[in-house]
Amino acid sequence: MNDGVLVWRRIPGLCQPVGQRGGTAPDEGVARSGGGSAKSSRASAAGGRGGFASLVVGQRRKALSAPCADDDDTSLVLEDDVKVWPSPAQFLKHPLALIALVPKEATLFMAAAAAGAAAKTLTAPLDRIKLLMQTHSARTFGQSTAKGISFLEAFSLIGREEGVKGYWKGNLPQVIRIIPYSAVQLFSYEMYKKLFKGADGELSILGRLAAGACAGMTSTLVTYPLDVLRLRLALEPGGRTMSQVALCMLQEEGLASFYSGLGASLVGIAPYIAVNFCMFDLVKNSLPEKYRQRPETSLVTALASATLATLMCYPLDTVRRQMQMKGSPYDSIHAAFTGIVERGGVFGLYSGFVPNALKSLPNSSIKLTAFDSVKGLIAMSQKELQRIIDENRAKMLS
């Protein structure tokens, strides 16, 4: 049964002055249902009329009865939930309970944003090398140069032409992008999982895949212009700023240039996030309960799921990058696929795979592990807060 209170309320207009009262009425007080315990306040006569029993379910921390206009007794106020609320001293003694006071959505947003920004910054050099390797064939299109560029060649090229700072070129728009991207992706995944639950309340494998695909496409659509801008800035030979590159794109190519390759991105990100998130949930839930909440379990599970997803979906990422370039020779996904294979073979679709794996695997693992850990922390804080409230209520009723 839901937790509730039984309150004797006076009916307005039927209360009698104290001097005219007679007889005995039921005690005016409250009794809590659901726990088998009760609390009674001071009884006052009601003249045999004017009161009725009212069961209030789920109403807390507010006055549940109003004083009668001609009653000189103190009004009955339900202060149970106010009294059992943890005191500042209890919050200081049990700081974990403070997390339960922060809205869950805000906590998850901050955790996803911080984890994403830190992971992207740490792996920025590998991301820059991967972009150079992925786009080399398109940048040298029509020239009699080598079809590909190796990891070491790309690494030395950046250092020789741009110095140490060149390895982090284009990282600012990436960090700006990853904050809303991670938050939207992880939060929308939780929402889509609720949406795709079956009639029995269970989420099937197909439902998890659909939730992951929708979450990936939602986050990509919201932040795609920043992703294109990051690529242009990373490949920019000069020293122009992010705002200068964005203004140049708008003036020379129009607003549509910020959405170049969007189709390939949506097609590529949907299966990647679907496989990644689905595998993470399934493997984690298949483990014994005592291992599920351990951070090393989340880290290993996230690494395995990200590896499988990357192997399956990387060719679509290469297609997307070459279509995003200024003056790209490809105007469709099919043309990009065939053109890349013609110039570099099937392995051309996996150009930059090694630095991408070194970058994306820890990046994805850190993000999923942080998000999963924060969800566990939120659950622990809610239990801690409820434990303190239950202890306070037991002391008050004893």
Side-chain angles (χ1 to χ4, degrees), residues 105 108-109 112 180-196 207-208 210-220 222 273 277 371:
E105 292 78 8
L108 295 178
F109 179 91
Y181 180 83
S182 297
V184 170
Q185 187 181 87
L186 294 169
F187 180 71
S188 63
Y189 179 60
E190 296 297 316
M191 298 298 103
Y192 283 125
K193 283 199 297 185
K194 296 178 182 178
L195 181 63
F196 287 111
R208 291 184 189 277
C214 290
M217 289 190 291
T218 300
S219 56
T220 298
V222 169
I273 299 300
F277 284 10
F371 187 68

PDB file of all heavy atoms in Angstrom, residues 105 108-109 112 180-196 207-208 210-220 222 273 277 371:
ATOM      1  N   GLU A 105      19.168  14.541 -13.888  1.00  0.00           N
ATOM      2  CA  GLU A 105      19.538  14.928 -15.236  1.00  0.00           C
ATOM      3  C   GLU A 105      20.763  15.836 -15.229  1.00  0.00           C
ATOM      4  O   GLU A 105      21.651  15.714 -16.074  1.00  0.00           O
ATOM      5  CB  GLU A 105      18.362  15.632 -15.928  1.00  0.00           C
ATOM      6  CG  GLU A 105      17.168  14.743 -16.229  1.00  0.00           C
ATOM      7  CD  GLU A 105      16.305  14.481 -15.003  1.00  0.00           C
ATOM      8  OE1 GLU A 105      16.565  15.117 -13.964  1.00  0.00           O
ATOM      9  OE2 GLU A 105      15.385  13.641 -15.090  1.00  0.00           O
ATOM     10  N   LEU A 108      23.969  13.722 -14.466  1.00  0.00           N
ATOM     11  CA  LEU A 108      24.392  12.930 -15.615  1.00  0.00           C
ATOM     12  C   LEU A 108      24.965  13.816 -16.720  1.00  0.00           C
ATOM     13  O   LEU A 108      25.928  13.450 -17.391  1.00  0.00           O
ATOM     14  CB  LEU A 108      23.212  12.119 -16.154  1.00  0.00           C
ATOM     15  CG  LEU A 108      22.658  11.042 -15.218  1.00  0.00           C
ATOM     16  CD1 LEU A 108      21.465  10.347 -15.864  1.00  0.00           C
ATOM     17  CD2 LEU A 108      23.725  10.028 -14.862  1.00  0.00           C
ATOM     18  N   PHE A 109      24.374  14.985 -16.902  1.00  0.00           N
ATOM     19  CA  PHE A 109      24.874  15.912 -17.920  1.00  0.00           C
ATOM     20  C   PHE A 109      26.301  16.340 -17.601  1.00  0.00           C
ATOM     21  O   PHE A 109      27.188  16.314 -18.475  1.00  0.00           O
ATOM     22  CB  PHE A 109      23.968  17.144 -17.994  1.00  0.00           C
ATOM     23  CG  PHE A 109      24.411  18.168 -19.004  1.00  0.00           C
ATOM     24  CD1 PHE A 109      23.942  18.127 -20.309  1.00  0.00           C
ATOM     25  CD2 PHE A 109      25.291  19.174 -18.657  1.00  0.00           C
ATOM     26  CE1 PHE A 109      24.352  19.059 -21.233  1.00  0.00           C
ATOM     27  CE2 PHE A 109      25.715  20.119 -19.576  1.00  0.00           C
ATOM     28  CZ  PHE A 109      25.235  20.059 -20.867  1.00  0.00           C
ATOM     29  N   ALA A 112      28.797  13.337 -18.039  1.00  0.00           N
ATOM     30  CA  ALA A 112      29.053  13.017 -19.440  1.00  0.00           C
ATOM     31  C   ALA A 112      29.888  14.097 -20.110  1.00  0.00           C
ATOM     32  O   ALA A 112      30.800  13.808 -20.890  1.00  0.00           O
ATOM     33  CB  ALA A 112      27.725  12.846 -20.188  1.00  0.00           C
ATOM     34  N   PRO A 180      27.786  18.963 -25.387  1.00  0.00           N
ATOM     35  CA  PRO A 180      26.375  18.618 -25.654  1.00  0.00           C
ATOM     36  C   PRO A 180      26.216  17.250 -26.314  1.00  0.00           C
ATOM     37  O   PRO A 180      25.215  16.574 -26.096  1.00  0.00           O
ATOM     38  CB  PRO A 180      25.909  19.748 -26.589  1.00  0.00           C
ATOM     39  CG  PRO A 180      27.146  20.244 -27.232  1.00  0.00           C
ATOM     40  CD  PRO A 180      28.233  20.101 -26.208  1.00  0.00           C
ATOM     41  N   TYR A 181      27.215  16.839 -27.111  1.00  0.00           N
ATOM     42  CA  TYR A 181      27.117  15.561 -27.806  1.00  0.00           C
ATOM     43  C   TYR A 181      27.023  14.396 -26.820  1.00  0.00           C
ATOM     44  O   TYR A 181      26.131  13.547 -26.930  1.00  0.00           O
ATOM     45  CB  TYR A 181      28.336  15.384 -28.720  1.00  0.00           C
ATOM     46  CG  TYR A 181      28.337  14.083 -29.498  1.00  0.00           C
ATOM     47  CD1 TYR A 181      27.618  13.973 -30.679  1.00  0.00           C
ATOM     48  CD2 TYR A 181      29.057  12.985 -29.058  1.00  0.00           C
ATOM     49  CE1 TYR A 181      27.620  12.785 -31.412  1.00  0.00           C
ATOM     50  CE2 TYR A 181      29.067  11.796 -29.778  1.00  0.00           C
ATOM     51  CZ  TYR A 181      28.349  11.710 -30.949  1.00  0.00           C
ATOM     52  OH  TYR A 181      28.346  10.539 -31.658  1.00  0.00           O
ATOM     53  N   SER A 182      27.939  14.348 -25.859  1.00  0.00           N
ATOM     54  CA  SER A 182      27.931  13.254 -24.880  1.00  0.00           C
ATOM     55  C   SER A 182      26.670  13.295 -24.035  1.00  0.00           C
ATOM     56  O   SER A 182      26.060  12.259 -23.755  1.00  0.00           O
ATOM     57  CB  SER A 182      29.168  13.348 -23.981  1.00  0.00           C
ATOM     58  OG  SER A 182      30.351  13.190 -24.724  1.00  0.00           O
ATOM     59  N   ALA A 183      26.291  14.514 -23.606  1.00  0.00           N
ATOM     60  CA  ALA A 183      25.110  14.635 -22.752  1.00  0.00           C
ATOM     61  C   ALA A 183      23.849  14.189 -23.483  1.00  0.00           C
ATOM     62  O   ALA A 183      23.039  13.422 -22.948  1.00  0.00           O
ATOM     63  CB  ALA A 183      24.973  16.072 -22.260  1.00  0.00           C
ATOM     64  N   VAL A 184      23.679  14.675 -24.723  1.00  0.00           N
ATOM     65  CA  VAL A 184      22.487  14.312 -25.496  1.00  0.00           C
ATOM     66  C   VAL A 184      22.470  12.819 -25.801  1.00  0.00           C
ATOM     67  O   VAL A 184      21.437  12.151 -25.687  1.00  0.00           O
ATOM     68  CB  VAL A 184      22.424  15.133 -26.804  1.00  0.00           C
ATOM     69  CG1 VAL A 184      21.331  14.611 -27.730  1.00  0.00           C
ATOM     70  CG2 VAL A 184      22.172  16.602 -26.495  1.00  0.00           C
ATOM     71  N   GLN A 185      23.625  12.283 -26.178  1.00  0.00           N
ATOM     72  CA  GLN A 185      23.704  10.875 -26.562  1.00  0.00           C
ATOM     73  C   GLN A 185      23.357   9.945 -25.396  1.00  0.00           C
ATOM     74  O   GLN A 185      22.517   9.053 -25.521  1.00  0.00           O
ATOM     75  CB  GLN A 185      25.102  10.562 -27.084  1.00  0.00           C
ATOM     76  CG  GLN A 185      25.252   9.175 -27.665  1.00  0.00           C
ATOM     77  CD  GLN A 185      26.679   8.932 -28.135  1.00  0.00           C
ATOM     78  OE1 GLN A 185      27.531   8.516 -27.364  1.00  0.00           O
ATOM     79  NE2 GLN A 185      26.941   9.202 -29.398  1.00  0.00           N
ATOM     80  N   LEU A 186      24.011  10.145 -24.256  1.00  0.00           N
ATOM     81  CA  LEU A 186      23.809   9.242 -23.124  1.00  0.00           C
ATOM     82  C   LEU A 186      22.436   9.433 -22.483  1.00  0.00           C
ATOM     83  O   LEU A 186      21.775   8.457 -22.113  1.00  0.00           O
ATOM     84  CB  LEU A 186      24.916   9.469 -22.092  1.00  0.00           C
ATOM     85  CG  LEU A 186      26.322   9.076 -22.568  1.00  0.00           C
ATOM     86  CD1 LEU A 186      27.375   9.576 -21.594  1.00  0.00           C
ATOM     87  CD2 LEU A 186      26.437   7.578 -22.743  1.00  0.00           C
ATOM     88  N   PHE A 187      22.003  10.694 -22.373  1.00  0.00           N
ATOM     89  CA  PHE A 187      20.703  10.944 -21.757  1.00  0.00           C
ATOM     90  C   PHE A 187      19.568  10.452 -22.652  1.00  0.00           C
ATOM     91  O   PHE A 187      18.607   9.838 -22.169  1.00  0.00           O
ATOM     92  CB  PHE A 187      20.542  12.436 -21.472  1.00  0.00           C
ATOM     93  CG  PHE A 187      19.233  12.792 -20.827  1.00  0.00           C
ATOM     94  CD1 PHE A 187      18.978  12.444 -19.509  1.00  0.00           C
ATOM     95  CD2 PHE A 187      18.249  13.454 -21.538  1.00  0.00           C
ATOM     96  CE1 PHE A 187      17.772  12.763 -18.915  1.00  0.00           C
ATOM     97  CE2 PHE A 187      17.036  13.771 -20.948  1.00  0.00           C
ATOM     98  CZ  PHE A 187      16.797  13.430 -19.626  1.00  0.00           C
ATOM     99  N   SER A 188      19.675  10.716 -23.966  1.00  0.00           N
ATOM    100  CA  SER A 188      18.607  10.274 -24.873  1.00  0.00           C
ATOM    101  C   SER A 188      18.560   8.749 -24.955  1.00  0.00           C
ATOM    102  O   SER A 188      17.490   8.167 -25.162  1.00  0.00           O
ATOM    103  CB  SER A 188      18.806  10.872 -26.266  1.00  0.00           C
ATOM    104  OG  SER A 188      20.020  10.428 -26.851  1.00  0.00           O
ATOM    105  N   TYR A 189      19.712   8.082 -24.778  1.00  0.00           N
ATOM    106  CA  TYR A 189      19.713   6.616 -24.780  1.00  0.00           C
ATOM    107  C   TYR A 189      18.851   6.083 -23.646  1.00  0.00           C
ATOM    108  O   TYR A 189      18.088   5.123 -23.834  1.00  0.00           O
ATOM    109  CB  TYR A 189      21.141   6.101 -24.660  1.00  0.00           C
ATOM    110  CG  TYR A 189      21.249   4.593 -24.626  1.00  0.00           C
ATOM    111  CD1 TYR A 189      20.795   3.809 -25.670  1.00  0.00           C
ATOM    112  CD2 TYR A 189      21.827   3.935 -23.526  1.00  0.00           C
ATOM    113  CE1 TYR A 189      20.896   2.427 -25.644  1.00  0.00           C
ATOM    114  CE2 TYR A 189      21.926   2.550 -23.490  1.00  0.00           C
ATOM    115  CZ  TYR A 189      21.469   1.808 -24.551  1.00  0.00           C
ATOM    116  OH  TYR A 189      21.557   0.438 -24.516  1.00  0.00           O
ATOM    117  N   GLU A 190      18.953   6.697 -22.469  1.00  0.00           N
ATOM    118  CA  GLU A 190      18.116   6.267 -21.346  1.00  0.00           C
ATOM    119  C   GLU A 190      16.640   6.507 -21.650  1.00  0.00           C
ATOM    120  O   GLU A 190      15.783   5.688 -21.304  1.00  0.00           O
ATOM    121  CB  GLU A 190      18.523   7.035 -20.085  1.00  0.00           C
ATOM    122  CG  GLU A 190      19.943   6.753 -19.606  1.00  0.00           C
ATOM    123  CD  GLU A 190      20.145   5.305 -19.211  1.00  0.00           C
ATOM    124  OE1 GLU A 190      19.262   4.745 -18.533  1.00  0.00           O
ATOM    125  OE2 GLU A 190      21.171   4.711 -19.598  1.00  0.00           O
ATOM    126  N   MET A 191      16.326   7.628 -22.301  1.00  0.00           N
ATOM    127  CA  MET A 191      14.940   7.933 -22.634  1.00  0.00           C
ATOM    128  C   MET A 191      14.409   6.973 -23.707  1.00  0.00           C
ATOM    129  O   MET A 191      13.281   6.486 -23.619  1.00  0.00           O
ATOM    130  CB  MET A 191      14.819   9.377 -23.136  1.00  0.00           C
ATOM    131  CG  MET A 191      15.218  10.444 -22.126  1.00  0.00           C
ATOM    132  SD  MET A 191      14.176  10.421 -20.629  1.00  0.00           S
ATOM    133  CE  MET A 191      15.284   9.598 -19.466  1.00  0.00           C
ATOM    134  N   TYR A 192      15.229   6.696 -24.718  1.00  0.00           N
ATOM    135  CA  TYR A 192      14.787   5.793 -25.788  1.00  0.00           C
ATOM    136  C   TYR A 192      14.611   4.359 -25.269  1.00  0.00           C
ATOM    137  O   TYR A 192      13.754   3.625 -25.766  1.00  0.00           O
ATOM    138  CB  TYR A 192      15.780   5.812 -26.946  1.00  0.00           C
ATOM    139  CG  TYR A 192      15.677   7.035 -27.829  1.00  0.00           C
ATOM    140  CD1 TYR A 192      16.795   7.841 -28.079  1.00  0.00           C
ATOM    141  CD2 TYR A 192      14.479   7.393 -28.423  1.00  0.00           C
ATOM    142  CE1 TYR A 192      16.699   8.967 -28.891  1.00  0.00           C
ATOM    143  CE2 TYR A 192      14.374   8.506 -29.233  1.00  0.00           C
ATOM    144  CZ  TYR A 192      15.494   9.292 -29.466  1.00  0.00           C
ATOM    145  OH  TYR A 192      15.381  10.400 -30.264  1.00  0.00           O
ATOM    146  N   LYS A 193      15.410   3.963 -24.292  1.00  0.00           N
ATOM    147  CA  LYS A 193      15.232   2.620 -23.721  1.00  0.00           C
ATOM    148  C   LYS A 193      13.857   2.482 -23.080  1.00  0.00           C
ATOM    149  O   LYS A 193      13.207   1.443 -23.193  1.00  0.00           O
ATOM    150  CB  LYS A 193      16.329   2.332 -22.696  1.00  0.00           C
ATOM    151  CG  LYS A 193      17.665   1.976 -23.315  1.00  0.00           C
ATOM    152  CD  LYS A 193      18.582   1.254 -22.343  1.00  0.00           C
ATOM    153  CE  LYS A 193      18.954   2.087 -21.150  1.00  0.00           C
ATOM    154  NZ  LYS A 193      19.936   1.414 -20.269  1.00  0.00           N
ATOM    155  N   LYS A 194      13.400   3.529 -22.408  1.00  0.00           N
ATOM    156  CA  LYS A 194      12.054   3.500 -21.823  1.00  0.00           C
ATOM    157  C   LYS A 194      10.997   3.455 -22.914  1.00  0.00           C
ATOM    158  O   LYS A 194       9.967   2.796 -22.779  1.00  0.00           O
ATOM    159  CB  LYS A 194      11.850   4.735 -20.943  1.00  0.00           C
ATOM    160  CG  LYS A 194      12.765   4.800 -19.731  1.00  0.00           C
ATOM    161  CD  LYS A 194      12.528   6.074 -18.934  1.00  0.00           C
ATOM    162  CE  LYS A 194      13.478   6.154 -17.746  1.00  0.00           C
ATOM    163  NZ  LYS A 194      13.293   7.421 -16.978  1.00  0.00           N
ATOM    164  N   LEU A 195      11.254   4.164 -24.013  1.00  0.00           N
ATOM    165  CA  LEU A 195      10.279   4.229 -25.105  1.00  0.00           C
ATOM    166  C   LEU A 195      10.131   2.891 -25.814  1.00  0.00           C
ATOM    167  O   LEU A 195       9.027   2.513 -26.225  1.00  0.00           O
ATOM    168  CB  LEU A 195      10.717   5.306 -26.107  1.00  0.00           C
ATOM    169  CG  LEU A 195       9.809   5.554 -27.309  1.00  0.00           C
ATOM    170  CD1 LEU A 195       8.445   6.071 -26.848  1.00  0.00           C
ATOM    171  CD2 LEU A 195      10.447   6.536 -28.276  1.00  0.00           C
ATOM    172  N   PHE A 196      11.246   2.154 -25.946  1.00  0.00           N
ATOM    173  CA  PHE A 196      11.220   0.905 -26.717  1.00  0.00           C
ATOM    174  C   PHE A 196      10.974  -0.332 -25.850  1.00  0.00           C
ATOM    175  O   PHE A 196      11.103  -1.445 -26.357  1.00  0.00           O
ATOM    176  CB  PHE A 196      12.535   0.735 -27.482  1.00  0.00           C
ATOM    177  CG  PHE A 196      12.668   1.664 -28.658  1.00  0.00           C
ATOM    178  CD1 PHE A 196      13.588   2.700 -28.642  1.00  0.00           C
ATOM    179  CD2 PHE A 196      11.861   1.513 -29.769  1.00  0.00           C
ATOM    180  CE1 PHE A 196      13.714   3.565 -29.719  1.00  0.00           C
ATOM    181  CE2 PHE A 196      11.971   2.366 -30.853  1.00  0.00           C
ATOM    182  CZ  PHE A 196      12.897   3.400 -30.826  1.00  0.00           C
ATOM    183  N   GLY A 207      15.190  -3.829 -29.176  1.00  0.00           N
ATOM    184  CA  GLY A 207      14.857  -2.548 -28.565  1.00  0.00           C
ATOM    185  C   GLY A 207      16.094  -1.778 -28.135  1.00  0.00           C
ATOM    186  O   GLY A 207      16.162  -0.550 -28.291  1.00  0.00           O
ATOM    187  N   ARG A 208      17.092  -2.482 -27.614  1.00  0.00           N
ATOM    188  CA  ARG A 208      18.350  -1.827 -27.225  1.00  0.00           C
ATOM    189  C   ARG A 208      19.078  -1.277 -28.446  1.00  0.00           C
ATOM    190  O   ARG A 208      19.628  -0.179 -28.414  1.00  0.00           O
ATOM    191  CB  ARG A 208      19.249  -2.815 -26.480  1.00  0.00           C
ATOM    192  CG  ARG A 208      18.747  -3.213 -25.113  1.00  0.00           C
ATOM    193  CD  ARG A 208      19.738  -4.114 -24.401  1.00  0.00           C
ATOM    194  NE  ARG A 208      19.176  -4.656 -23.188  1.00  0.00           N
ATOM    195  CZ  ARG A 208      19.153  -4.003 -22.019  1.00  0.00           C
ATOM    196  NH1 ARG A 208      19.680  -2.799 -21.952  1.00  0.00           N
ATOM    197  NH2 ARG A 208      18.628  -4.559 -20.957  1.00  0.00           N
ATOM    198  N   ALA A 210      17.699  -0.376 -31.272  1.00  0.00           N
ATOM    199  CA  ALA A 210      16.932   0.774 -31.763  1.00  0.00           C
ATOM    200  C   ALA A 210      17.179   2.000 -30.894  1.00  0.00           C
ATOM    201  O   ALA A 210      17.316   3.121 -31.405  1.00  0.00           O
ATOM    202  CB  ALA A 210      15.441   0.430 -31.792  1.00  0.00           C
ATOM    203  N   ALA A 211      17.241   1.805 -29.571  1.00  0.00           N
ATOM    204  CA  ALA A 211      17.501   2.926 -28.663  1.00  0.00           C
ATOM    205  C   ALA A 211      18.880   3.519 -28.896  1.00  0.00           C
ATOM    206  O   ALA A 211      19.056   4.746 -28.927  1.00  0.00           O
ATOM    207  CB  ALA A 211      17.370   2.461 -27.211  1.00  0.00           C
ATOM    208  N   GLY A 212      19.884   2.659 -29.094  1.00  0.00           N
ATOM    209  CA  GLY A 212      21.234   3.142 -29.365  1.00  0.00           C
ATOM    210  C   GLY A 212      21.321   3.871 -30.689  1.00  0.00           C
ATOM    211  O   GLY A 212      21.975   4.920 -30.790  1.00  0.00           O
ATOM    212  N   ALA A 213      20.667   3.343 -31.716  1.00  0.00           N
ATOM    213  CA  ALA A 213      20.687   3.984 -33.033  1.00  0.00           C
ATOM    214  C   ALA A 213      20.033   5.362 -32.982  1.00  0.00           C
ATOM    215  O   ALA A 213      20.564   6.342 -33.521  1.00  0.00           O
ATOM    216  CB  ALA A 213      19.979   3.095 -34.054  1.00  0.00           C
ATOM    217  N   CYS A 214      18.898   5.456 -32.325  1.00  0.00           N
ATOM    218  CA  CYS A 214      18.198   6.744 -32.211  1.00  0.00           C
ATOM    219  C   CYS A 214      19.012   7.745 -31.391  1.00  0.00           C
ATOM    220  O   CYS A 214      19.052   8.937 -31.722  1.00  0.00           O
ATOM    221  CB  CYS A 214      16.822   6.539 -31.578  1.00  0.00           C
ATOM    222  SG  CYS A 214      15.639   5.676 -32.643  1.00  0.00           S
ATOM    223  N   ALA A 215      19.653   7.275 -30.320  1.00  0.00           N
ATOM    224  CA  ALA A 215      20.476   8.164 -29.500  1.00  0.00           C
ATOM    225  C   ALA A 215      21.667   8.692 -30.298  1.00  0.00           C
ATOM    226  O   ALA A 215      22.006   9.881 -30.215  1.00  0.00           O
ATOM    227  CB  ALA A 215      20.960   7.428 -28.259  1.00  0.00           C
ATOM    228  N   GLY A 216      22.300   7.820 -31.086  1.00  0.00           N
ATOM    229  CA  GLY A 216      23.436   8.247 -31.901  1.00  0.00           C
ATOM    230  C   GLY A 216      23.031   9.266 -32.951  1.00  0.00           C
ATOM    231  O   GLY A 216      23.722  10.274 -33.154  1.00  0.00           O
ATOM    232  N   MET A 217      21.912   9.046 -33.619  1.00  0.00           N
ATOM    233  CA  MET A 217      21.458   9.978 -34.657  1.00  0.00           C
ATOM    234  C   MET A 217      21.003  11.303 -34.045  1.00  0.00           C
ATOM    235  O   MET A 217      21.238  12.373 -34.634  1.00  0.00           O
ATOM    236  CB  MET A 217      20.333   9.339 -35.473  1.00  0.00           C
ATOM    237  CG  MET A 217      20.808   8.209 -36.371  1.00  0.00           C
ATOM    238  SD  MET A 217      19.555   7.626 -37.546  1.00  0.00           S
ATOM    239  CE  MET A 217      18.403   6.833 -36.425  1.00  0.00           C
ATOM    240  N   THR A 218      20.372  11.253 -32.880  1.00  0.00           N
ATOM    241  CA  THR A 218      19.935  12.485 -32.219  1.00  0.00           C
ATOM    242  C   THR A 218      21.119  13.372 -31.853  1.00  0.00           C
ATOM    243  O   THR A 218      21.125  14.577 -32.143  1.00  0.00           O
ATOM    244  CB  THR A 218      19.127  12.155 -30.953  1.00  0.00           C
ATOM    245  OG1 THR A 218      17.977  11.380 -31.303  1.00  0.00           O
ATOM    246  CG2 THR A 218      18.668  13.424 -30.248  1.00  0.00           C
ATOM    247  N   SER A 219      22.131  12.801 -31.223  1.00  0.00           N
ATOM    248  CA  SER A 219      23.297  13.589 -30.813  1.00  0.00           C
ATOM    249  C   SER A 219      24.087  14.088 -32.021  1.00  0.00           C
ATOM    250  O   SER A 219      24.615  15.202 -32.011  1.00  0.00           O
ATOM    251  CB  SER A 219      24.202  12.748 -29.907  1.00  0.00           C
ATOM    252  OG  SER A 219      24.593  11.542 -30.546  1.00  0.00           O
ATOM    253  N   THR A 220      24.168  13.279 -33.079  1.00  0.00           N
ATOM    254  CA  THR A 220      24.881  13.695 -34.286  1.00  0.00           C
ATOM    255  C   THR A 220      24.177  14.859 -34.970  1.00  0.00           C
ATOM    256  O   THR A 220      24.812  15.838 -35.396  1.00  0.00           O
ATOM    257  CB  THR A 220      25.002  12.519 -35.273  1.00  0.00           C
ATOM    258  OG1 THR A 220      25.754  11.468 -34.661  1.00  0.00           O
ATOM    259  CG2 THR A 220      25.689  12.944 -36.553  1.00  0.00           C
ATOM    260  N   VAL A 222      22.249  17.110 -33.654  1.00  0.00           N
ATOM    261  CA  VAL A 222      22.320  18.327 -32.841  1.00  0.00           C
ATOM    262  C   VAL A 222      23.677  19.012 -32.970  1.00  0.00           C
ATOM    263  O   VAL A 222      23.766  20.245 -33.009  1.00  0.00           O
ATOM    264  CB  VAL A 222      22.017  17.992 -31.366  1.00  0.00           C
ATOM    265  CG1 VAL A 222      22.337  19.174 -30.468  1.00  0.00           C
ATOM    266  CG2 VAL A 222      20.557  17.590 -31.192  1.00  0.00           C
ATOM    267  N   ILE A 273      26.709   3.300 -32.443  1.00  0.00           N
ATOM    268  CA  ILE A 273      26.180   3.502 -31.086  1.00  0.00           C
ATOM    269  C   ILE A 273      25.253   2.367 -30.700  1.00  0.00           C
ATOM    270  O   ILE A 273      25.226   1.930 -29.539  1.00  0.00           O
ATOM    271  CB  ILE A 273      25.448   4.857 -30.995  1.00  0.00           C
ATOM    272  CG1 ILE A 273      26.429   6.002 -31.292  1.00  0.00           C
ATOM    273  CG2 ILE A 273      24.848   5.054 -29.608  1.00  0.00           C
ATOM    274  CD1 ILE A 273      27.591   6.086 -30.346  1.00  0.00           C
ATOM    275  N   PHE A 277      26.429   0.481 -27.359  1.00  0.00           N
ATOM    276  CA  PHE A 277      25.608   0.572 -26.145  1.00  0.00           C
ATOM    277  C   PHE A 277      24.888  -0.739 -25.843  1.00  0.00           C
ATOM    278  O   PHE A 277      24.763  -1.135 -24.678  1.00  0.00           O
ATOM    279  CB  PHE A 277      24.585   1.702 -26.290  1.00  0.00           C
ATOM    280  CG  PHE A 277      25.172   3.078 -26.134  1.00  0.00           C
ATOM    281  CD1 PHE A 277      26.544   3.267 -26.095  1.00  0.00           C
ATOM    282  CD2 PHE A 277      24.355   4.190 -26.031  1.00  0.00           C
ATOM    283  CE1 PHE A 277      27.094   4.531 -25.954  1.00  0.00           C
ATOM    284  CE2 PHE A 277      24.885   5.462 -25.881  1.00  0.00           C
ATOM    285  CZ  PHE A 277      26.266   5.638 -25.844  1.00  0.00           C
ATOM    286  N   PHE A 371      29.790   7.416 -17.053  1.00  0.00           N
ATOM    287  CA  PHE A 371      28.336   7.520 -17.015  1.00  0.00           C
ATOM    288  C   PHE A 371      27.726   6.429 -16.151  1.00  0.00           C
ATOM    289  O   PHE A 371      26.823   6.667 -15.345  1.00  0.00           O
ATOM    290  CB  PHE A 371      27.794   7.434 -18.442  1.00  0.00           C
ATOM    291  CG  PHE A 371      26.325   7.692 -18.561  1.00  0.00           C
ATOM    292  CD1 PHE A 371      25.807   8.952 -18.326  1.00  0.00           C
ATOM    293  CD2 PHE A 371      25.450   6.681 -18.909  1.00  0.00           C
ATOM    294  CE1 PHE A 371      24.448   9.200 -18.438  1.00  0.00           C
ATOM    295  CE2 PHE A 371      24.098   6.908 -19.024  1.00  0.00           C
ATOM    296  CZ  PHE A 371      23.598   8.174 -18.790  1.00  0.00           C
TER     297      PHE A 371
END
